[in-house]
């Protein structure tokens, strides 16, 4: 993810079915372990901050670290 492009709008958080992205205060917190790269967050991001290369590519985990767990 390109944090410089993130407007912290929350659109990705709203569509993520696994809550892998959450807006907390003025930051987007990323939980990479929760992501199953469905691509929805990248599709709705209005600034191009998120890139999801393909379904097997995973989510680039370079946001603010959060708790990583599966399930
Ligand atoms: S949709 Fe894009 S701009 Fe909005 S919070 Fe998510 S990464 Fe940031």
């Amino acid at each position: 993810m390109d944090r410089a492009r993130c407007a912290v709008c929350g659109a990705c958080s709203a569509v993520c079915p696994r809550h892998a992205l959450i807006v907390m205060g003025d930051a987007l917190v990323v939980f990479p372990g929760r992501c199953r790269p469905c691509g929805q967050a990248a599709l709705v991001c209005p600034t191009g901050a998120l890139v999801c290369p393909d379904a097997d590519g995973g989510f680039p985990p370079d946001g603010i670290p959060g708790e990583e767990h599966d399930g």
Side-chain angles (χ1 to χ4, degrees):
M1 112 169 250
D2 183 347
R3 186 157 295 279
R5 298 180 75 157
C6 178
V8 197
C9 68
C12 54
S13 177
V15 298
C16 179
R18 295 183 56 85
H19 309 291
L21 309 111
I22 298 173
V23 173
M24 294 184 72
D26 61 354
L28 180 69
V29 181
V30 180
F31 298 82
R34 296 195 63 83
C35 179
R36 299 296 177 269
C38 63
Q40 293 184 66
L43 275 176
V44 300
C45 179
T47 66
L50 295 175
V51 176
C52 192
D54 56 59
D56 296 319
F59 183 81
D62 60 350
I64 294 175
E67 179 186 4
E68 294 185 33
H69 55 88
D70 193 9

